[in-house]
Amino acid sequence: MTRPELRADLTAALAAAVVLTGVQGFAPALPLMRVQLGLSDLEISLLIVGYLLPGALCAFPIGIVADRAGLARTVSGALIVFGICGVLAYFWHDLGSLLAIRAVQGAMFGGVLALTIIATGAAGDTQRITSAQSRRVVIMTCAEGVAPLAAGIVLVNLSWNSVFLLQAVALPVAVLCCRMLPKSVPGARRRVSTAEIVRASRRAVFSFAGAAVQAPGFLRFFLKYALLTFVPLLAATTYGLDPLEIGVMLALASLAGACMAAAAPWFARGTSVGTLLGISLTLTALPIVLVPVAGPVGVLALLVVLTGAGDGLLAVVNNVVVTRLAPGDGKAAFIGLTGGIRSAGKLSAPLVAGLLAEAIPLGLTLASLGVLGLTAIAVVPTIARLLDGVDDAP
């Protein structure tokens, strides 16, 4: 790997980490916002859903822009809009203004997350992509821990709306992306029309093989967000854990995920991507199936840590799969559409799990979702065959 390639990979990972300030760096301010602005539970949820939904819907069109206008230019522009929105929210923070600002921010968030996948090692072979995606996942996992901490420090020492200024960090990162990221989408074969980009990316997604490629990513985020929403409730109501103990358990799961993501390049040296995909799906979903029979709280914590480890490995392997199988025409649009499908998993998880929890106990609800996650193993042979047909030359 050359130094410019490494700098590009690290810059892309930094860009992805920075936009996490819109969720992880925003969540600690919600209790204060509720008091200061007199918001209801529904209005608080709108601030989150109104951020994630545009991200799901706009990642595809932003990917088309990147295919046409260039990768570095598009990522930089999205980061500039994201950072400016953070500054605007500091000054205009009534509910209506915040909803509008966060909708624009969320759209940029979805675009940046998707485009930084294709910007990370995308022009290399499988080993190179695995190493690059491993670094990206580790950096983002660390950012998921640092962003709430930074927000907490700001909230303790400054006004509650000062937390929005953390998002202005995207502005200098935008300049860095303009200089360090590839000007065009890596591996793209030729400049094509918008219609051709849309057709190629849709064909790559809306087919049996395309659906097989998308299933692990959708289910990964579906399980992750269901776990983050309902495991704390289960731990508190069934096991009597306090918030600090729950936080420690989830932090250990994140740490396990980061360690597995860091080890992914080592695993990939002697194991095929298809095999790693099957292992990571099993490690992510099977512990959730076992939650109802966990018994002692230590066993519950172990299961949560194991599924966190599986999620870290799955994050890397799934990014390798979609990067290797992205069509030559409309690569960024394909990754954008992939990002939208993953975001659908984030949005649907709390709703589906909540409806199930109304009918059956919480432990059985999580186990049912784990069984659903295990069904994704059925698509692994299809994905393995598709990968076998891809030339592994850079």
Side-chain angles (χ1 to χ4, degrees):
M1 181 192 308
T2 65
R3 285 187 178 181
E5 287 175 336
L6 179 59
R7 286 196 294 266
D9 290 348
L10 294 176
T11 301
L14 179 61
V18 161
V19 295
L20 295 179
T21 55
V23 179
Q24 284 84 348
F26 173 73
L30 290 176
L32 285 174
M33 290 181 64
R34 181 201 297 270
V35 174
Q36 295 291 331
L37 301 179
L39 302 180
S40 66
D41 289 342
L42 176 60
E43 289 167 334
I44 287 289
S45 67
L46 285 176
L47 288 171
I48 300 299
V49 175
Y51 181 87
L52 294 175
L53 185 59
L57 297 175
C58 294
F60 179 47
I62 290 175
I64 294 174
V65 172
D67 280 317
R68 297 303 309 276
L71 183 64
R73 188 182 303 173
T74 305
V75 173
S76 297
L79 287 171
I80 290 171
V81 173
F82 183 93
I84 291 174
C85 283
V87 176
L88 292 177
Y90 174 79
F91 293 103
W92 289 286
H93 42 258
D94 60 278
L95 180 60
S97 298
L98 279 180
L99 287 173
I101 289 169
R102 282 186 61 77
V104 175
Q105 262 193 327
M108 300 303 104
F109 162 81
V112 169
L113 283 188
L115 293 180
T116 52
I117 292 175
I118 201 69
T120 306
D125 59 13
T126 298
Q127 189 62 43
R128 157 98 171 87
I129 296 171
T130 304
S131 298
Q133 294 294 341
S134 170
R135 283 190 293 271
R136 180 181 184 273
V137 171
V138 170
I139 290 171
M140 290 187 67
T141 302
C142 292
E144 288 177 347
V146 171
L149 178 61
I153 293 171
V154 168
L155 291 167
V156 167
N157 293 283
L158 300 173
S159 61
W160 69 269
N161 56 319
S162 296
V163 74
F164 292 114
L165 295 180
L166 289 175
Q167 297 157 11
V169 175
L171 297 174
V173 176
V175 176
L176 195 62
C177 286
C178 193
R179 292 177 57 87
M180 298 295 182
L181 293 187
K183 300 304 179 187
S184 59
V185 175
R189 288 196 293 263
R190 57 188 176 88
R191 193 175 183 87
V192 294
S193 69
T194 300
E196 288 176 298
I197 290 170
V198 171
R199 282 195 296 271
S201 55
R202 283 182 174 174
R203 276 197 308 269
V205 172
F206 298 112
S207 63
F208 174 78
V213 171
Q214 299 301 323
F218 173 86
L219 287 169
R220 179 203 162 214
F221 281 99
F222 183 87
L223 292 178
K224 180 174 183 175
Y225 276 71
L227 203 73
L228 288 174
T229 303
F230 288 98
V231 161
L233 295 177
L234 179 71
T237 56
T238 304
Y239 292 89
L241 299 188
D242 62 35
L244 177 59
E245 291 168 329
I246 294 170
V248 169
M249 181 171 63
L250 294 177
L252 289 174
S254 293
L255 178 61
C259 291
M260 288 293 281
W266 183 80
F267 294 140
R269 290 194 186 105
T271 310
S272 70
V273 174
T275 301
L276 284 178
L277 182 61
I279 292 171
S280 60
L281 282 168
T282 303
L283 188 56
T284 301
L286 185 58
I288 303 176
V289 176
L290 300 177
V291 163
V293 294
V297 67
V299 177
L300 174 69
L302 176 61
L303 292 175
V304 172
V305 169
L306 286 174
T307 197
D311 179 77
L313 181 59
L314 181 56
V316 176
V317 176
N318 191 234
N319 282 352
V320 172
V321 168
V322 298
T323 301
R324 294 299 294 154
L325 297 179
D329 299 334
K331 271 180 174 275
F334 170 80
I335 296 295
L337 194 52
T338 297
I341 292 169
R342 293 177 177 183
S343 293
K346 302 176 189 178
L347 290 166
S348 60
L351 175 61
V352 173
L355 290 173
L356 276 176
E358 290 292 319
I360 59 177
L362 199 51
L364 288 177
T365 295
L366 290 170
S368 300
L369 301 181
V371 171
L372 179 62
L374 286 175
T375 62
I377 296 173
V379 306
V380 170
T382 298
I383 293 174
R385 285 195 298 272
L386 292 171
L387 288 169
D388 287 341
V390 175
D391 182 10
D392 205 33

